[in-house]
Each structure stands twice: as C-alpha cells, then as structure tokens.
Amino acid sequence: MARRKRTERSHRNRARQSNKKLFNALLDWLIPEGELFTEGLFHGNIKWKPEQLAQQAVIWSWQDTRNVTDAFDQAIEIGEDLGVRNVAKTYASFMDALVRYRKTFSLRLSRQFREISEEVAGRFWRDDEWVLIGFDGSRVTTPRTASNEKAFCAPNYGRGKTAKYRRKKTKAMRRRNNEKNKPYPQVPQIWITMMWHMSLRLPWAWRLAPSNASERDHVVEMLGQEEFPKNTLFCGDAGFVGYGFWNNILAAGQNFLVRVGGNVHLLSEKADIKRLGGGIVLCWPKGKMDSGAMPLRLRLVHVKIGKTKMWLLTSVLDRTKLPNKKIIKYYKMRWGVEVEYRGLKQTVDKQKLRCRNSSRAYVELDWSIRAMAFAELIALREQIPDDNKRPTESEASYDTKHRSLANTMRAMRKCMRNLSKYAHPADDVLIQLSRALVQRYNNRTDKRARYRPKNLDKQPLGEPTVRILNSEQRRKLRRIPLKLAA
C-alpha cells in the first residue's frame, strides 16, 4: 500500500515537472534565447534579457484579467514558476521597455514567426503555386482619456461628405438641437490594418494608427517594408482599389485579386466586356494616360459567391494559373480575416483596450495580436499532420479552418493556472491543443442577427464602369509598349 502511494506520488511529480517543461519548451520554440537579439540593440544598463522580456509580454497578453496591471502580476507569478526571472519587476518598467523597443521587438519576432510558420505549415503553405495573403482593416476602442483623444481621434471628425449627408437626412432628429441630450464627443479608436495568411489563417503583418488612417497606405507601407514569398497573391475587398495601389503590388513582383464596384473605371479594347462575363481590361486613368504612364493590363471576372453576384479583378491574366473556380475559393477564404478580428475583439477581449496612455495602448494592442498569433501557431503545430507519416482519415481531412481560437486560449490559460498542480500525462497542454477544434455540425438555421437593423445609408457597391477605347486613346496606347502583368 505504501509502495503504491509512493509510486503515485512520484508519477504526479513527473507529470507536474513535465507540464512545466512542456510550457517552457513552447516559449523557447517561439522565442529562443541568444538567437534573435544582440546586445547592441538595447541600452547597456538594462537588467532584463530581451528574450525573457518578450516571453513575459506574451504571457501577459495571454491572461484573461480585466486590468492590465492584474495581468502583469499574474505574468510575474507564472514567470517565477517557469524560471523566467530576468524580466521587468514593475509594471512601469515593463511598459516603458515595451514602448521604447517596440519596433525592435516587432522586427525580430515577426521574422522569427514567419520562419517557424513555414516549417509548421507543410501542405498549407501554398495553394497550388500561390501563397495567399489577405488584408483588411478594423478598429478597436480605447479609454476616453486626454492622451488617447489627442492621439487617436480624427481632427476633422464630422466634416466629411458622409457625415454631412447623414446630418442633412436626419435634420428633424438632430440631437445637437436638443440642449438636454447633447451628443457624446468622438470615441478614440485605433485603426488596425492586417495582412493575413489565408491558408494557415494566421496574421502575417499589421500596422496600427489613429482612427482616420488609410488602410491602403498601410498595405503599401507593408509591401515596401515586409518580406513576402515568391508568387504571393494578395486578396482584398472593394476598398483596395486604384491605379497607384495596384501598381505598387505589381512593382513588388506580386499579384492581386480584389473585388471592384462602381468606384472603378476601366477600359476595354474589344466589345462590351461586361456582357461577355469578363475579359482583359485596362486600368488607365486620364492623368496617367496624359503623363505617359504604362496602363495596367488586368482580368475582369464575373462570379457568383453564395447569393451575391460580384465583379473581381486580378492581375493574373492566364486562366490556367488562376481559373474562375480558384478565384471563388480564394475570395471565400479572404473572409477569414474578419473572423480573425472577431477572435481578437471577443475571444481575446480587445474590443476595448485598457491602457489610458496612447503609447501604452499601442503596445497593449500590438502584443495582443502577436500573442494571439503565437497561440494559434502552437495549436497548428499540434494539429497539422506530419508529411513524413501516413495520415489517418481524420488527419487527411483536416483543414486549418477547423482550429478554434477559443479552445486554444482555454487550453493555454488552463495550463498556466495549473503549472504547480497535477496534470494527467494524457491530458497535458499539447494534447489539449491538438484537440482545440471548432464544433463540427450541420447548421440549418440562419445565423444572421435578428436584432441588427439594416443600414439605410449604405449604398450598394454597384458594377465597375467599362468603356471601349476611343480613337485617341488607341493612338496613345500604340505609342506605349504595353507591359503585360504576370
């Protein structure tokens, strides 16, 4: 009897130690010590190690407490339990370090994240020959402090055409005429523009800015500063249009697929392209035409996705490289970036940030996105079947869309809470992450919110305008050697 108790006790000790080792191994795999940072990048008087501070920031961002200071206290306790002790000891020093070295951490950790993502991805890295990158923008709210209002609120808020139209339309219902119920001032918000790997369903890169920032400018900035694999296909919605924007993608040696509507004007060399269901068109605004700039030769496609008929524009002219079936599939996949934003706002609970200082609010959001991406990558590593082994039937049917962010965060947080407690070897953190999947069932009900009213101010997207080249435009076209897109 006594021998059996000693055996059970030693088994529990081994399980507890193994659980700690597993969690430490995960952190070391994400942020290995001595490989990412050099001493010259930081001030000589720092008392923390950059790799361990980054690990502390990830643990801090994984907490589900209401206040950031409470999350920091928990991160200190977890770090001491794991042996991560060369870190910031106070919340003020912790945030000051993350604010000061935000760009340094972002550059090195983003590169590390992409390298290990490619190692984990296997068959999900490319679809046929394409690396699929989608992009979109969204906003999160910050506390209404003087610092946040000054940094994030648009200075010309309420003076745009849409705002003037809305005020004119609801003239009889204006609250500004009611002195007893004055409207609240503008809410400070941070704009996020995210590039997202559509096959892995992981964030690739992102930019943060005040609420009046331009998502197209953010994408152009990332095109010039970030690294992308060969044969990357960028996918965007109807907001990512324009000669300059598309030309930047083509100049980077990549291709794009975007939805277009009434805000796009194109030219055709043949008959009515729209009546034929699509074809080769030219994007050649009058200003670019008069200056002698090259026209963009693109392919217009008319497809039906769900119940919606829409026009899509791509720089891939060869139908064999990008057939219409693939176009429909890729544009459906692009919707996953919206699900990623929903996970950030609801599952990670960053719909409204906690930091009351603008620079710290940037840090809070930046590390929240990074920690969410790290957690999703760990789950993918445990779920994607090994290419060197013969997969089972369930592994062969696995898709990255089956991964559940909620179950992933639940497994990580449960492990952090129970580092010093007994955990059965068959139910450790890696096993839980391998099972962090969405519930798969056939839903036969309408999931649209019944309480969401229709937005009467939202105009339909419409159809792109395609005009046939006139004689003068044809003469200008013959003078310019046409540059064919890839």
Side-chain angles (χ1 to χ4, degrees), residues 401-405 407 435-441:
K401 66 182 180 182
H402 299 156
R403 186 194 66 231
S404 168
L405 175 60
N407 289 332
R435 300 170 181 167
L437 304 173
V438 296
Q439 185 180 1
R440 300 174 67 178
Y441 60 94

Side-chain angles (χ1 to χ4, degrees), residues 23-51:
F23 203 84
N24 267 323
L26 290 178
L27 291 177
D28 292 337
W29 177 67
L30 293 172
I31 310 172
E33 291 199 30
E35 298 182 13
L36 302 180
F37 305 99
T38 58
E39 295 181 357
L41 296 173
F42 302 91
H43 194 277
N45 293 334
I46 61 173
K47 296 181 180 180
W48 40 264
K49 290 184 178 180
E51 292 87 358

Side-chain angles (χ1 to χ4, degrees), residues 418-433:
N418 300 321
L419 283 175
S420 300
K421 296 181 181 180
Y422 166 72
H424 195 276
D427 196 30
D428 60 31
V429 62
L430 298 184
I431 298 297
Q432 294 182 51
L433 289 172

